[in-house]
Amino acid sequence: MKNNKIKDLINYYIPKKKLTLIDCGCHKGGFLKKIGLKKLDNGFLIDPLNYHLKQKFNLKKFKYLNYCVGSSSKKIIFNKFSDKYPEWSSVNLIGTSSIYKKKYSKYLKTKIEKKKVFQTTID
């Protein structure tokens, strides 16, 4: 049986209305896949890495914002640790004692790809 807990919650609490979604750190659209697009009227997909989600899901009413969301508006360094798992990317570095470093080292790049991005606040 498929795990559709998030989709079931949305269908239970908002059965007749459509939702506006704000997905910060939308990555490859995994959350969109989980909840389904039928209940979504429009929304904002926010991620510093461009995954071309609007074309992938045909999201005409959605706006994609190529930003990082944080507590202040400024340019920051965004670190891409893995090509296979770009969703592991972060403004934070992976420390030598990190579980990611120990458990997933075969997927991590030896040289971290750094990208300057603009961080903005939601407010």
Tab-separated table of all heavy atoms in Angstrom, residues 38-82:
chain	number	residue	atom	x	y	z
A	38	LYS	N	-4.206	18.036	-7.962
A	38	LYS	CA	-5.625	18.345	-8.134
A	38	LYS	C	-6.133	19.365	-7.128
A	38	LYS	O	-7.013	20.152	-7.424
A	38	LYS	CB	-6.457	17.064	-8.051
A	38	LYS	CG	-6.247	16.161	-9.240
A	38	LYS	CD	-7.065	14.905	-9.145
A	38	LYS	CE	-6.746	14.022	-10.350
A	38	LYS	NZ	-7.331	12.716	-10.249
A	39	LYS	N	-5.606	19.363	-5.916
A	39	LYS	CA	-6.050	20.279	-4.867
A	39	LYS	C	-5.288	21.605	-4.871
A	39	LYS	O	-5.544	22.463	-4.056
A	39	LYS	CB	-5.890	19.631	-3.485
A	39	LYS	CG	-6.802	18.473	-3.254
A	39	LYS	CD	-8.170	18.963	-2.884
A	39	LYS	CE	-9.089	17.787	-2.645
A	39	LYS	NZ	-10.445	18.204	-2.447
A	40	LEU	N	-4.335	21.754	-5.779
A	40	LEU	CA	-3.516	22.957	-5.807
A	40	LEU	C	-3.974	23.895	-6.911
A	40	LEU	O	-3.987	23.528	-8.081
A	40	LEU	CB	-2.045	22.592	-6.008
A	40	LEU	CG	-1.458	21.664	-4.955
A	40	LEU	CD1	-0.051	21.267	-5.342
A	40	LEU	CD2	-1.476	22.310	-3.593
A	41	ASP	N	-4.339	25.099	-6.520
A	41	ASP	CA	-4.788	26.088	-7.492
A	41	ASP	C	-3.599	26.861	-8.053
A	41	ASP	O	-3.502	27.108	-9.240
A	41	ASP	CB	-5.787	27.037	-6.837
A	41	ASP	CG	-6.478	27.925	-7.841
A	41	ASP	OD1	-6.761	27.439	-8.950
A	41	ASP	OD2	-6.730	29.095	-7.526
A	42	ASN	N	-2.708	27.269	-7.175
A	42	ASN	CA	-1.506	27.992	-7.594
A	42	ASN	C	-0.482	27.915	-6.468
A	42	ASN	O	-0.747	27.339	-5.434
A	42	ASN	CB	-1.831	29.450	-7.945
A	42	ASN	CG	-2.471	30.190	-6.798
A	42	ASN	OD1	-2.063	30.050	-5.657
A	42	ASN	ND2	-3.490	30.968	-7.082
A	43	GLY	N	0.674	28.511	-6.699
A	43	GLY	CA	1.671	28.482	-5.651
A	43	GLY	C	3.013	29.033	-6.070
A	43	GLY	O	3.192	29.501	-7.198
A	44	PHE	N	3.925	28.972	-5.133
A	44	PHE	CA	5.289	29.438	-5.323
A	44	PHE	C	6.235	28.298	-4.991
A	44	PHE	O	6.143	27.685	-3.934
A	44	PHE	CB	5.587	30.627	-4.395
A	44	PHE	CG	4.722	31.813	-4.657
A	44	PHE	CD1	3.530	31.979	-3.973
A	44	PHE	CD2	5.089	32.739	-5.603
A	44	PHE	CE1	2.713	33.062	-4.215
A	44	PHE	CE2	4.282	33.830	-5.860
A	44	PHE	CZ	3.092	33.986	-5.164
A	45	LEU	N	7.133	27.994	-5.905
A	45	LEU	CA	8.159	26.978	-5.716
A	45	LEU	C	9.478	27.720	-5.573
A	45	LEU	O	9.866	28.476	-6.463
A	45	LEU	CB	8.193	26.032	-6.911
A	45	LEU	CG	6.874	25.351	-7.244
A	45	LEU	CD1	6.983	24.591	-8.557
A	45	LEU	CD2	6.449	24.435	-6.129
A	46	ILE	N	10.156	27.525	-4.449
A	46	ILE	CA	11.361	28.297	-4.150
A	46	ILE	C	12.525	27.352	-3.909
A	46	ILE	O	12.448	26.468	-3.054
A	46	ILE	CB	11.134	29.185	-2.905
A	46	ILE	CG1	9.893	30.067	-3.098
A	46	ILE	CG2	12.366	30.030	-2.627
A	46	ILE	CD1	9.428	30.757	-1.846
A	47	ASP	N	13.596	27.529	-4.679
A	47	ASP	CA	14.801	26.726	-4.491
A	47	ASP	C	15.961	27.414	-5.205
A	47	ASP	O	15.788	27.922	-6.311
A	47	ASP	CB	14.618	25.315	-5.051
A	47	ASP	CG	15.616	24.339	-4.462
A	47	ASP	OD1	16.770	24.331	-4.895
A	47	ASP	OD2	15.216	23.603	-3.540
A	48	PRO	N	17.159	27.439	-4.602
A	48	PRO	CA	18.302	28.069	-5.262
A	48	PRO	C	18.834	27.292	-6.461
A	48	PRO	O	19.521	27.840	-7.303
A	48	PRO	CB	19.353	28.179	-4.164
A	48	PRO	CG	18.923	27.258	-3.101
A	48	PRO	CD	17.456	27.023	-3.247
A	49	LEU	N	18.512	26.003	-6.546
A	49	LEU	CA	18.926	25.205	-7.704
A	49	LEU	C	17.746	25.102	-8.656
A	49	LEU	O	16.630	24.799	-8.239
A	49	LEU	CB	19.385	23.808	-7.268
A	49	LEU	CG	20.564	23.767	-6.290
A	49	LEU	CD1	20.816	22.346	-5.843
A	49	LEU	CD2	21.805	24.368	-6.906
A	50	ASN	N	17.977	25.314	-9.924
A	50	ASN	CA	16.884	25.320	-10.898
A	50	ASN	C	16.650	23.913	-11.434
A	50	ASN	O	17.488	23.354	-12.110
A	50	ASN	CB	17.196	26.286	-12.040
A	50	ASN	CG	16.016	26.515	-12.945
A	50	ASN	OD1	14.957	25.906	-12.777
A	50	ASN	ND2	16.180	27.389	-13.897
A	51	TYR	N	15.479	23.353	-11.150
A	51	TYR	CA	15.146	22.000	-11.592
A	51	TYR	C	14.140	21.988	-12.741
A	51	TYR	O	13.667	20.937	-13.122
A	51	TYR	CB	14.574	21.184	-10.432
A	51	TYR	CG	15.555	20.945	-9.322
A	51	TYR	CD1	15.424	21.591	-8.107
A	51	TYR	CD2	16.628	20.080	-9.492
A	51	TYR	CE1	16.326	21.373	-7.086
A	51	TYR	CE2	17.528	19.853	-8.475
A	51	TYR	CZ	17.372	20.509	-7.277
A	51	TYR	OH	18.269	20.295	-6.274
A	52	HIS	N	13.768	23.164	-13.252
A	52	HIS	CA	12.800	23.274	-14.353
A	52	HIS	C	11.478	22.585	-14.002
A	52	HIS	O	10.909	21.858	-14.803
A	52	HIS	CB	13.379	22.707	-15.656
A	52	HIS	CG	14.674	23.336	-16.038
A	52	HIS	ND1	14.762	24.608	-16.535
A	52	HIS	CD2	15.943	22.876	-15.973
A	52	HIS	CE1	16.021	24.916	-16.767
A	52	HIS	NE2	16.761	23.882	-16.422
A	53	LEU	N	10.996	22.825	-12.794
A	53	LEU	CA	9.771	22.163	-12.329
A	53	LEU	C	8.526	22.608	-13.083
A	53	LEU	O	7.607	21.834	-13.267
A	53	LEU	CB	9.571	22.413	-10.831
A	53	LEU	CG	10.569	21.729	-9.926
A	53	LEU	CD1	10.327	22.108	-8.479
A	53	LEU	CD2	10.507	20.233	-10.079
A	54	LYS	N	8.505	23.875	-13.501
A	54	LYS	CA	7.308	24.355	-14.208
A	54	LYS	C	7.079	23.558	-15.486
A	54	LYS	O	5.965	23.199	-15.812
A	54	LYS	CB	7.425	25.842	-14.519
A	54	LYS	CG	7.167	26.708	-13.295
A	54	LYS	CD	7.170	28.157	-13.634
A	54	LYS	CE	5.819	28.509	-14.189
A	54	LYS	NZ	5.551	29.927	-14.266
A	55	GLN	N	8.153	23.243	-16.208
A	55	GLN	CA	8.019	22.456	-17.428
A	55	GLN	C	7.705	20.993	-17.093
A	55	GLN	O	6.905	20.350	-17.755
A	55	GLN	CB	9.297	22.522	-18.273
A	55	GLN	CG	9.661	23.892	-18.769
A	55	GLN	CD	10.562	24.651	-17.810
A	55	GLN	OE1	10.535	24.485	-16.612
A	55	GLN	NE2	11.371	25.539	-18.367
A	56	LYS	N	8.319	20.469	-16.047
A	56	LYS	CA	8.169	19.064	-15.669
A	56	LYS	C	6.730	18.733	-15.269
A	56	LYS	O	6.202	17.694	-15.612
A	56	LYS	CB	9.123	18.757	-14.518
A	56	LYS	CG	9.154	17.315	-14.096
A	56	LYS	CD	10.198	17.121	-13.004
A	56	LYS	CE	10.199	15.701	-12.513
A	56	LYS	NZ	11.150	15.487	-11.443
A	57	PHE	N	6.092	19.640	-14.526
A	57	PHE	CA	4.749	19.392	-14.032
A	57	PHE	C	3.674	20.196	-14.761
A	57	PHE	O	2.509	20.112	-14.414
A	57	PHE	CB	4.665	19.712	-12.536
A	57	PHE	CG	5.406	18.745	-11.675
A	57	PHE	CD1	6.622	19.088	-11.110
A	57	PHE	CD2	4.896	17.480	-11.427
A	57	PHE	CE1	7.305	18.202	-10.302
A	57	PHE	CE2	5.583	16.589	-10.628
A	57	PHE	CZ	6.776	16.945	-10.072
A	58	ASN	N	4.050	21.013	-15.749
A	58	ASN	CA	3.100	21.869	-16.460
A	58	ASN	C	2.330	22.752	-15.473
A	58	ASN	O	1.103	22.733	-15.409
A	58	ASN	CB	2.135	21.031	-17.314
A	58	ASN	CG	1.402	21.902	-18.321
A	58	ASN	OD1	1.834	23.010	-18.634
A	58	ASN	ND2	0.291	21.414	-18.814
A	59	LEU	N	3.058	23.514	-14.693
A	59	LEU	CA	2.480	24.344	-13.640
A	59	LEU	C	2.289	25.781	-14.134
A	59	LEU	O	3.086	26.653	-13.843
A	59	LEU	CB	3.392	24.320	-12.405
A	59	LEU	CG	3.685	22.944	-11.842
A	59	LEU	CD1	4.774	23.011	-10.787
A	59	LEU	CD2	2.436	22.326	-11.271
A	60	LYS	N	1.237	26.033	-14.848
A	60	LYS	CA	1.011	27.353	-15.445
A	60	LYS	C	0.706	28.415	-14.401
A	60	LYS	O	1.074	29.568	-14.562
A	60	LYS	CB	-0.114	27.274	-16.466
A	60	LYS	CG	0.262	26.449	-17.677
A	60	LYS	CD	-0.878	26.295	-18.629
A	60	LYS	CE	-0.422	25.387	-19.768
A	60	LYS	NZ	-1.494	24.860	-20.534
A	61	LYS	N	0.030	28.035	-13.318
A	61	LYS	CA	-0.343	29.014	-12.295
A	61	LYS	C	0.702	29.123	-11.180
A	61	LYS	O	0.513	29.845	-10.229
A	61	LYS	CB	-1.698	28.650	-11.685
A	61	LYS	CG	-2.846	28.780	-12.654
A	61	LYS	CD	-4.143	28.476	-11.945
A	61	LYS	CE	-5.302	28.604	-12.906
A	61	LYS	NZ	-6.576	28.307	-12.231
A	62	PHE	N	1.784	28.379	-11.304
A	62	PHE	CA	2.830	28.413	-10.288
A	62	PHE	C	3.962	29.332	-10.725
A	62	PHE	O	4.251	29.456	-11.895
A	62	PHE	CB	3.400	27.012	-10.068
A	62	PHE	CG	2.545	26.147	-9.208
A	62	PHE	CD1	1.304	25.723	-9.638
A	62	PHE	CD2	2.982	25.750	-7.962
A	62	PHE	CE1	0.510	24.919	-8.845
A	62	PHE	CE2	2.193	24.933	-7.158
A	62	PHE	CZ	0.957	24.529	-7.608
A	63	LYS	N	4.586	29.952	-9.752
A	63	LYS	CA	5.740	30.803	-10.032
A	63	LYS	C	6.959	30.161	-9.377
A	63	LYS	O	6.918	29.796	-8.210
A	63	LYS	CB	5.510	32.200	-9.479
A	63	LYS	CG	6.653	33.146	-9.762
A	63	LYS	CD	6.254	34.572	-9.509
A	63	LYS	CE	7.402	35.516	-9.753
A	63	LYS	NZ	7.683	35.809	-11.112
A	64	TYR	N	8.030	29.997	-10.156
A	64	TYR	CA	9.271	29.449	-9.635
A	64	TYR	C	10.199	30.604	-9.277
A	64	TYR	O	10.429	31.496	-10.098
A	64	TYR	CB	9.943	28.538	-10.667
A	64	TYR	CG	11.199	27.916	-10.132
A	64	TYR	CD1	11.140	26.760	-9.366
A	64	TYR	CD2	12.434	28.499	-10.342
A	64	TYR	CE1	12.273	26.193	-8.832
A	64	TYR	CE2	13.581	27.941	-9.808
A	64	TYR	CZ	13.493	26.795	-9.053
A	64	TYR	OH	14.618	26.246	-8.522
A	65	LEU	N	10.708	30.607	-8.062
A	65	LEU	CA	11.626	31.647	-7.595
A	65	LEU	C	12.962	31.004	-7.287
A	65	LEU	O	13.049	30.087	-6.471
A	65	LEU	CB	11.070	32.332	-6.345
A	65	LEU	CG	9.694	32.964	-6.494
A	65	LEU	CD1	9.148	33.403	-5.148
A	65	LEU	CD2	9.743	34.124	-7.462
A	66	ASN	N	13.984	31.465	-7.959
A	66	ASN	CA	15.332	30.913	-7.819
A	66	ASN	C	16.069	31.620	-6.674
A	66	ASN	O	16.967	32.419	-6.902
A	66	ASN	CB	16.058	31.066	-9.150
A	66	ASN	CG	17.294	30.219	-9.249
A	66	ASN	OD1	18.260	30.627	-9.846
A	66	ASN	ND2	17.279	29.045	-8.674
A	67	TYR	N	15.652	31.336	-5.437
A	67	TYR	CA	16.225	31.949	-4.240
A	67	TYR	C	16.480	30.895	-3.186
A	67	TYR	O	15.942	29.798	-3.232
A	67	TYR	CB	15.258	32.960	-3.607
A	67	TYR	CG	14.968	34.184	-4.425
A	67	TYR	CD1	13.686	34.438	-4.877
A	67	TYR	CD2	15.968	35.099	-4.723
A	67	TYR	CE1	13.396	35.567	-5.612
A	67	TYR	CE2	15.689	36.225	-5.462
A	67	TYR	CZ	14.407	36.465	-5.901
A	67	TYR	OH	14.134	37.578	-6.624
A	68	CYS	N	17.222	31.310	-2.184
A	68	CYS	CA	17.363	30.569	-0.948
A	68	CYS	C	16.556	31.361	0.082
A	68	CYS	O	16.575	32.589	0.055
A	68	CYS	CB	18.840	30.518	-0.556
A	68	CYS	SG	19.171	29.529	0.882
A	69	VAL	N	15.825	30.713	0.958
A	69	VAL	CA	15.029	31.413	1.962
A	69	VAL	C	15.748	31.333	3.295
A	69	VAL	O	16.210	30.270	3.710
A	69	VAL	CB	13.614	30.798	2.074
A	69	VAL	CG1	12.824	31.451	3.192
A	69	VAL	CG2	12.874	30.954	0.757
A	70	GLY	N	15.854	32.478	3.964
A	70	GLY	CA	16.545	32.533	5.246
A	70	GLY	C	16.053	33.676	6.094
A	70	GLY	O	14.997	34.262	5.830
A	71	SER	N	16.821	34.046	7.099
A	71	SER	CA	16.403	35.074	8.054
A	71	SER	C	16.746	36.499	7.618
A	71	SER	O	16.298	37.455	8.232
A	71	SER	CB	17.024	34.788	9.423
A	71	SER	OG	18.434	34.788	9.317
A	72	SER	N	17.550	36.635	6.554
A	72	SER	CA	17.897	37.971	6.068
A	72	SER	C	18.085	37.941	4.552
A	72	SER	O	18.261	36.881	3.962
A	72	SER	CB	19.180	38.464	6.754
A	72	SER	OG	20.242	37.591	6.458
A	73	SER	N	18.042	39.111	3.951
A	73	SER	CA	18.231	39.226	2.501
A	73	SER	C	19.678	39.598	2.216
A	73	SER	O	20.136	40.679	2.605
A	73	SER	CB	17.291	40.292	1.926
A	73	SER	OG	15.964	39.872	2.075
A	74	LYS	N	20.405	38.682	1.564
A	74	LYS	CA	21.813	38.923	1.245
A	74	LYS	C	22.316	37.837	0.301
A	74	LYS	O	21.670	36.810	0.107
A	74	LYS	CB	22.660	38.930	2.515
A	74	LYS	CG	22.611	37.611	3.278
A	74	LYS	CD	23.366	37.696	4.583
A	74	LYS	CE	23.238	36.399	5.361
A	74	LYS	NZ	23.890	36.467	6.650
A	75	LYS	N	23.481	38.053	-0.291
A	75	LYS	CA	24.138	37.022	-1.106
A	75	LYS	C	24.846	36.062	-0.159
A	75	LYS	O	25.478	36.482	0.805
A	75	LYS	CB	25.164	37.662	-2.046
A	75	LYS	CG	24.533	38.343	-3.223
A	75	LYS	CD	25.017	37.684	-4.468
A	75	LYS	CE	24.348	38.360	-5.641
A	75	LYS	NZ	24.456	37.626	-6.830
A	76	ILE	N	24.715	34.766	-0.446
A	76	ILE	CA	25.346	33.745	0.390
A	76	ILE	C	25.971	32.675	-0.498
A	76	ILE	O	25.694	32.608	-1.689
A	76	ILE	CB	24.345	33.093	1.366
A	76	ILE	CG1	23.195	32.452	0.594
A	76	ILE	CG2	23.829	34.070	2.386
A	76	ILE	CD1	22.374	31.502	1.413
A	77	ILE	N	26.764	31.823	0.099
A	77	ILE	CA	27.357	30.684	-0.603
A	77	ILE	C	26.462	29.463	-0.365
A	77	ILE	O	26.142	29.128	0.766
A	77	ILE	CB	28.786	30.379	-0.093
A	77	ILE	CG1	29.702	31.585	-0.287
A	77	ILE	CG2	29.341	29.137	-0.771
A	77	ILE	CD1	29.965	31.947	-1.731
A	78	PHE	N	26.065	28.820	-1.448
A	78	PHE	CA	25.239	27.617	-1.389
A	78	PHE	C	26.106	26.457	-1.834
A	78	PHE	O	26.765	26.527	-2.862
A	78	PHE	CB	24.020	27.787	-2.303
A	78	PHE	CG	22.936	26.785	-2.063
A	78	PHE	CD1	22.089	26.900	-0.972
A	78	PHE	CD2	22.753	25.724	-2.930
A	78	PHE	CE1	21.081	25.983	-0.747
A	78	PHE	CE2	21.745	24.798	-2.721
A	78	PHE	CZ	20.904	24.931	-1.614
A	79	ASN	N	26.140	25.386	-1.057
A	79	ASN	CA	27.029	24.251	-1.296
A	79	ASN	C	26.265	23.067	-1.880
A	79	ASN	O	25.277	22.622	-1.308
A	79	ASN	CB	27.673	23.815	0.021
A	79	ASN	CG	28.385	24.948	0.701
A	79	ASN	OD1	29.379	25.445	0.202
A	79	ASN	ND2	27.873	25.391	1.835
A	80	LYS	N	26.739	22.573	-3.012
A	80	LYS	CA	26.157	21.374	-3.622
A	80	LYS	C	27.110	20.216	-3.341
A	80	LYS	O	28.228	20.181	-3.828
A	80	LYS	CB	25.974	21.576	-5.119
A	80	LYS	CG	25.219	20.452	-5.782
A	80	LYS	CD	24.952	20.758	-7.250
A	80	LYS	CE	24.275	19.592	-7.921
A	80	LYS	NZ	24.182	19.788	-9.362
A	81	PHE	N	26.622	19.262	-2.541
A	81	PHE	CA	27.469	18.165	-2.056
A	81	PHE	C	27.431	16.922	-2.920
A	81	PHE	O	28.326	16.095	-2.847
A	81	PHE	CB	27.056	17.780	-0.631
A	81	PHE	CG	27.169	18.908	0.348
A	81	PHE	CD1	26.038	19.470	0.906
A	81	PHE	CD2	28.400	19.415	0.707
A	81	PHE	CE1	26.135	20.504	1.808
A	81	PHE	CE2	28.513	20.450	1.612
A	81	PHE	CZ	27.369	21.004	2.172
A	82	SER	N	26.351	16.754	-3.713
A	82	SER	CA	26.191	15.515	-4.463
A	82	SER	C	25.460	15.778	-5.774
A	82	SER	O	24.479	16.518	-5.802
A	82	SER	CB	25.392	14.517	-3.615
A	82	SER	OG	25.043	13.381	-4.353
